Amino acid sequence: MINRWLFVQIDNSALIIFRVFFGFLIAAESFGAILTGWVKRTLVEPKFTFNFIGFDFLQPLPGPGMYFYFALMGIFGVLVMIGYKYRWSMIGYTILWAGVYYMQKSSYNNHYYLLLLLCIMMSVLPAGNYFSIDVKQNPMVKKIAMPRWCILVIIAQLWIVYTYASIAKIYPDWLDFTVAKNLMMSRANYPIIGTTLQQHWVHVCITYFGILFDLLIIPLLLWRKTRVAAFCISIFFHLFNSIIFQIGIFPYLSLAFSVFFFSKERIHHIFMQKKEFYTANEIIVPDYKKVLLSAFVIWFVIQLTLPIRHWCIPGDVLWTEEGHKLSWRMMLRGKSGHTNFYIVDTDDTSRKRQLVNKNEYLSKKQIRMVSAKPDGMWQFAQYLKAEYAAQGKNIAVFVDSKVSVNGKKYKKLIDSEVDLASVTWNYFTTNPWVIKYSND
């Protein structure tokens, strides 16, 4: 049964055309990051970046290095699109994108994480076996079929993403329209549509449409009778997100996934009529079947458990952020904070606290991060400790932080008597100096 389900050969037109779309989009993401100033604002101008904790060795290249870094990523994207040295080009982009992803988190985005997962998948999938320069140079690698698992793993991954995104929205601040109202309030100055976005009925639509779309879109695309309607709804949904939230390539990447849901015959007819259509339905079980199945189990166990780990950590994840990342908790809350950092010279018996001027060290976006997120506060404390240690001084760092979630009253988030420069970061459980609240 498993062999018939996973290893039956099917026409590979969907994967080939997705490779073209994917290569174009990741190239656009890379070159666009340079042209829009994202690289400059995020990686060049800041004195230091907030890398993922434990990845301190990943630091931006000096001078114009990050511009060349992203340009190389863009070139890899183009090579993926045209299918030149496909496997190596895809692996090259994956490594560079992973470097960017773990190098900074002041611009953290769930879509960046999804792109990393897709890059890993595409590095393994046989997407360069047709309509590629590799095939022109070596016709022996040409194939018109692929095993069915190549499509199933992508659909399963998308199902996990959308389902968890829907479930995460089922909480009071989303259901009472607070989140939608706050999101649209910041877009009141949009031309033409800004005023309409402030209407209550719009907030109601965004709230319930967001839950239902994420929960149902994959099943509706899988069912032949609802597929076309679901695709039309997807076009509206993703274009709305692109215009309103300006989230880069993700809406268009989401639309590109549609090629995996329509029938093989239709995709072949629309995009690759000159290609021979595969109909043999052979079952070819590879020698590496056990390794492949083991990899599937490990991958999807991780994907299913990571998004629910916050249930094993004390406190509300909306406040503590512990278990928030890698969990498909998208656009669920807005956080703001009033946070002051104080340093104390440990060799000074007076223990006088000196206020830190955050503007001397951080960009505006970084200041917003260290004002609301405990991991950013801890990392900034470690940075200050290292800076003063280089001057031969030993310091303690104390934080006075009050944070608001979704416009609610400000509450103290960090134990202000704890020296954040001296405590270690707990990776897999809670950090006791983060004060736990429920979301009220």
Side-chain angles (χ1 to χ4, degrees), residues 214-283:
D214 289 345
L215 184 64
L216 299 175
I217 190 60
I218 300 299
L220 291 177
L221 284 171
L222 286 171
W223 192 23
R224 180 179 58 81
K225 293 183 178 181
T226 56
R227 188 173 294 146
V228 174
F231 178 63
C232 294
I233 293 171
S234 293
I235 293 174
F236 169 79
F237 179 80
H238 291 302
L239 290 182
F240 178 87
N241 284 344
S242 180
I243 294 169
I244 301 302
F245 299 113
Q246 300 173 13
I247 48 179
I249 67 169
F250 180 71
Y252 308 99
L253 181 59
S254 298
L255 290 175
F257 287 131
S258 300
V259 298
F260 295 118
F261 294 92
F262 284 92
S263 69
K264 301 179 292 294
E265 292 81 4
R266 175 170 290 191
I267 296 301
H268 176 268
H269 177 73
I270 294 174
F271 295 105
M272 311 197 81
Q273 293 185 18
K274 294 182 179 180
K275 172 181 171 292
E276 180 185 352
F277 184 72
Y278 177 82
T279 59
N281 295 323
E282 300 170 281
I283 297 176

Side-chain angles (χ1 to χ4, degrees), residues 29-64:
E29 178 76 19
S30 303
F31 291 129
I34 298 173
L35 296 175
T36 61
W38 188 91
V39 174
K40 180 180 180 181
R41 294 190 304 272
T42 307
L43 298 168
V44 176
E45 291 181 340
K47 291 184 177 181
F48 80 107
T49 61
F50 288 87
N51 52 267
F52 275 63
I53 296 174
F55 288 83
D56 297 9
F57 60 92
L58 288 175
Q59 297 296 324
L61 299 174

Side-chain angles (χ1 to χ4, degrees), residues 60-291:
L61 299 174
M66 291 311 299
Y67 296 114
F68 292 114
Y69 187 104
F70 271 78
L72 179 58
M73 285 174 57
I75 293 171
F76 277 137
V78 172
L79 296 180
V80 168
M81 180 178 65
I82 63 177
Y84 180 72
K85 304 293 183 184
Y86 168 74
R87 190 81 64 190
W88 291 109
S89 297
M90 193 66 255
I91 291 173
Y93 189 95
T94 302
I95 292 172
L96 293 179
W97 181 254
V100 173
Y101 179 75
Y102 290 110
M103 189 184 297
Q104 67 80 35
K105 59 185 177 183
S106 58
S107 293
Y108 177 82
N109 191 318
N110 278 283
H111 306 151
Y112 297 163
Y113 172 46
L114 178 58
L115 181 56
L116 177 59
L117 297 181
L118 290 172
C119 284
I120 294 171
M121 287 183 168
M122 290 297 288
S123 296
V124 176
L125 296 175
N129 291 345
Y130 194 87
F131 195 56
S132 65
I133 293 180
D134 289 346
V135 169
K136 287 186 176 295
Q137 293 181 338
N138 181 13
M140 295 294 293
V141 304
K142 178 181 178 180
K143 293 182 180 179
I144 61 171
M146 64 181 176
R148 181 185 277 155
W149 66 259
C150 295
I151 284 183
L152 294 181
V153 293
I154 292 179
I155 293 175
Q157 181 64 62
L158 294 176
W159 205 330
I160 290 171
V161 172
Y162 279 106
T163 301
Y164 276 122
S166 177
I167 293 172
K169 291 180 175 68
I170 305 175
Y171 85 101
D173 286 2
W174 186 273
L175 296 175
D176 69 8
F177 318 120
T178 296
V179 175
K181 179 181 178 181
N182 291 343
L183 285 171
M184 295 304 105
M185 193 180 301
S186 62
R187 291 156 177 84
N189 61 345
Y190 278 19
I192 303 175
I193 60 174
T195 302
T196 303
L197 294 176
Q198 310 314 307
Q199 302 299 311
H200 179 67
W201 67 267
V202 175
H203 306 157
V204 173
C205 291
I206 290 173
T207 295
Y208 288 107
F209 190 75
I211 293 174
L212 294 174
F213 180 88
D214 289 345
L215 184 64
L216 299 175
I217 190 60
I218 300 299
L220 291 177
L221 284 171
L222 286 171
W223 192 23
R224 180 179 58 81
K225 293 183 178 181
T226 56
R227 188 173 294 146
V228 174
F231 178 63
C232 294
I233 293 171
S234 293
I235 293 174
F236 169 79
F237 179 80
H238 291 302
L239 290 182
F240 178 87
N241 284 344
S242 180
I243 294 169
I244 301 302
F245 299 113
Q246 300 173 13
I247 48 179
I249 67 169
F250 180 71
Y252 308 99
L253 181 59
S254 298
L255 290 175
F257 287 131
S258 300
V259 298
F260 295 118
F261 294 92
F262 284 92
S263 69
K264 301 179 292 294
E265 292 81 4
R266 175 170 290 191
I267 296 301
H268 176 268
H269 177 73
I270 294 174
F271 295 105
M272 311 197 81
Q273 293 185 18
K274 294 182 179 180
K275 172 181 171 292
E276 180 185 352
F277 184 72
Y278 177 82
T279 59
N281 295 323
E282 300 170 281
I283 297 176
I284 303 176
V285 181
D287 295 335
Y288 52 84
K289 172 185 173 181
K290 290 184 178 180
V291 175

